[in-house]
Amino acid sequence: MAKILIIEDVVDSANLAKKILAKNEHTALVAANGEEALQIASGEQLDLVLLELGLPDVDGQTLLGVLRRQYDMEDIPIIVCTAWPEDTALKMAEAYGFSGYISKPYTVNKLLSVVDQYLK
Amino acid sequence: MTLILKPASDYNAEQLTDIYNQTRVDYMTPMPMNIARLKEYVYLYQISLDVSLVALYQGQPVGLGMLALRPGRSWITRLGLVAVQRGLGVGKSLMRGLLASSDALGIRMNMLEVIKGNQPAHNLFIKLGFQEQRELLILRRAPAEVETPTAKIHWMERGEILFHLGQRKIVPAWTNQTESLGRAKGISGFKIYTEDDGQGWFVFQRTLFNISRIMFGTQYGDKHELMRQMLLHLHTQYPKQDTYTENIPAEDPHLSAFHQLGYFEAFRRVEMHRHPDVSNFT
């Protein structure tokens, strides 16, 4: 179905998201940090990105800007995963051009419904 | 619950980074670090790993607290607990250990910041004798076009930058003190002169993707307009860089210019001191 990049430094969270997406016939690639994400983005045609804001080497907000401007991903849905309060998440989304966000912790159904929404 | 506190220096950088990141999972603002970032953090802020502590329970790390030292004051930072161990007294044990180390070194003033809304931590610090001082803002700005500035600037050499930083009258938060900026790479600064004889100075750090560590002083003239012109110069010079700056006091009169130029508050911290002493340091 879709090729989805999960940018998430917490291994258990990344593996869980990968498993959920794979069960729904998506191909899920995982990057644990910004550097790995950029390596994957430079070599793969992605349909959607799930991006954790708190990464160990670069802020998710900064990474999003780099992906959009330097990796030709202006039209790819980039969904931010964040534990920020909703009003802050909305401010970030508006300022940085996230396609959408999903609040952590999220359920299986929530993850899948957000992914489906942005793949349409 | 029997805890053992070990010096953080007993662990290598990789181990310490792993312990640190474990304590940030599910935290309000996660802020994980890789090894390079943690090493830089320790260096920039003069953290002593000999007196920083790792808390162990049944042989497993369950918490971490770091203590930074400068003449006459210390700073407690990166206090964190593994999620399942929160609320069980680990934080109090770590804090008592860090404060005991600071006291043993004869340091009278202790500083820390707590994210606003982290009530359990705030309550703990109050119980340990800390008092609220002020609120500090963490601001972000996404890249965006700005109008052309009208004021003139003159780029400063490093010596002049450090001079102006050292002349600040209001004590900055630890991350923004002159010692921190003096150890940071990529620091630049300029002086500004407006048409109505306004004067000021502006210092920042620029890395590959970000602008950060914004510091400033306005000497003569309208504070809002001076700040606006300084930010216009910054964002004209570096139009594609994301900006993130920490610990600007919430009462700072220049903030209106930041908001006008697209900065917004990501979150805020409450700065707290214990045994505050009027030391003339910046």
Side-chain angles (χ1 to χ4, degrees):
Chain A
M1 286 250 287
K3 192 175 280 185
I4 299 175
L5 173 59
I6 303 165
I7 310 173
E8 167 65 69
D9 63 306
V10 177
V11 171
D12 289 346
S13 301
N15 287 342
L16 181 60
K18 184 175 180 178
K19 215 181 247 187
I20 293 168
L21 294 171
K23 274 200 165 170
N24 285 269
E25 296 178 0
H26 299 300
T27 301
L29 307 171
V30 174
N33 53 56
E35 188 180 344
E36 286 180 14
L38 294 179
Q39 279 170 3
I40 292 172
S42 66
E44 300 278 350
Q45 192 62 42
L46 300 167
D47 298 301
L48 186 141
V49 176
L50 293 169
L51 168 60
E52 159 61 51
L53 281 185
L55 294 172
D57 57 348
V58 64
D59 291 346
Q61 296 92 323
T62 303
L63 180 63
L64 181 136
V66 174
L67 287 170
R68 288 254 190 257
R69 288 191 310 274
Q70 298 182 27
Y71 285 74
D72 202 23
M73 290 178 66
E74 290 287 353
D75 299 324
I76 307 297
I78 300 181
I79 313 301
V80 154
C81 304
T82 177
W84 289 110
E86 179 148 352
D87 57 344
T88 307
L90 283 169
K91 269 191 286 193
M92 297 279 185
E94 199 178 296
Y96 285 91
F98 306 160
S99 308
Y101 72 92
I102 178 168
S103 294
K104 287 175 130 180
Y106 50 76
T107 62
V108 170
N109 286 342
K110 180 67 179 175
L111 175 65
L112 290 173
S113 96
V114 167
V115 166
D116 284 346
Q117 177 190 349
Y118 286 96
L119 283 177
K120 279 187 184 144
Chain B
M1 187 184 197
T2 306
L3 281 180
I4 294 173
L5 299 179
K6 289 182 83 174
S9 51
D10 281 7
Y11 299 85
N12 64 34
E14 187 177 347
Q15 290 168 326
L16 213 52
T17 304
D18 190 51
I19 293 168
Y20 169 75
N21 285 331
Q22 287 298 315
T23 69
R24 307 315 274 195
V25 173
D26 294 338
Y27 189 51
M28 292 172 77
T29 52
M31 291 188 281
M33 290 197 245
N34 59 15
I35 295 172
R37 260 188 167 181
L38 188 71
K39 281 184 171 177
E40 186 190 38
Y41 192 91
V42 168
Y43 169 71
L44 277 180
Y45 302 131
Q46 294 170 282
I47 288 166
S48 169
L49 293 179
D50 289 337
V51 292
S52 298
L53 296 170
V54 174
L56 294 131
Y57 177 63
Q58 295 181 340
Q60 294 301 311
V62 294
L64 169 70
M66 292 186 170
L67 187 66
L69 305 172
R70 286 178 178 158
R73 75 270 196 206
S74 68
W75 181 54
I76 292 173
T77 182
R78 302 291 110 181
L79 183 75
L81 313 174
V82 168
V84 295
Q85 300 295 345
R86 291 170 194 159
L88 299 175
V90 178
K92 189 192 281 187
S93 295
L94 277 167
M95 282 295 296
R96 285 197 164 137
L98 295 169
L99 291 171
S101 294
S102 185
D103 289 345
L105 290 165
I107 293 174
R108 274 183 47 78
M109 178 166 170
N110 312 120
M111 305 170 74
L112 56 80
E113 300 96 29
V114 59
I115 290 178
K116 187 164 170 129
N118 187 348
Q119 210 55 44
H122 183 271
N123 293 345
L124 170 62
F125 301 146
I126 292 283
K127 280 184 191 158
L128 292 170
F130 283 84
Q131 296 173 323
E132 287 192 11
Q133 301 299 309
R134 58 188 170 180
E135 294 190 358
L136 303 170
L137 305 186
I138 287 71
L139 302 177
R140 293 205 74 110
R141 178 186 180 276
E145 300 243 338
V146 294
E147 67 189 74
T148 306
T150 56
K152 293 191 174 14
I153 63 168
H154 159 80
W155 289 93
M156 296 191 282
E157 298 289 336
R158 184 178 168 77
E160 200 175 358
I161 288 172
L162 292 176
F163 171 78
H164 282 293
L165 290 171
Q167 294 296 303
R168 289 174 289 176
K169 294 195 171 26
I170 295 175
V171 176
W174 192 277
T175 56
N176 298 346
Q177 290 173 9
T178 305
E179 291 95 328
S180 304
L181 276 287
R183 297 165 88 89
K185 292 181 193 165
I187 298 292
S188 297
F190 55 78
K191 289 168 81 168
I192 193 161
Y193 307 90
T194 57
E195 287 162 350
D196 59 352
D197 295 332
Q199 278 185 47
W201 57 268
F202 187 90
V203 171
F204 61 97
Q205 180 183 38
R206 181 172 157 248
T207 58
L208 184 59
F209 294 126
N210 283 117
I211 302 280
S212 60
R213 299 188 195 279
I214 290 175
M215 310 289 142
F216 49 86
T218 51
Q219 289 136 336
Y220 309 106
D222 180 76
K223 289 184 187 306
H224 173 92
E225 182 56 20
L226 272 165
M227 194 71 242
R228 198 179 76 88
Q229 290 289 328
M230 291 195 279
L231 293 172
L232 286 175
H233 269 287
L234 178 71
H235 296 305
T236 303
Q237 185 84 15
Y238 307 109
K240 293 193 172 146
Q241 299 211 251
D242 184 24
T243 311
Y244 170 90
T245 196
E246 289 191 272
N247 297 339
I248 296 181
E251 303 303 317
D252 193 297
H254 303 87
L255 279 170
S256 58
F258 280 87
H259 295 313
Q260 191 177 60
L261 271 286
Y263 286 76
F264 63 91
E265 181 182 326
F267 61 97
R268 61 176 66 190
R269 295 179 172 125
V270 179
E271 187 180 49
M272 302 177 85
H273 293 174
R274 172 175 171 261
H275 304 314
D277 193 0
V278 183
S279 300
N280 196 18
F281 61 87
T282 53

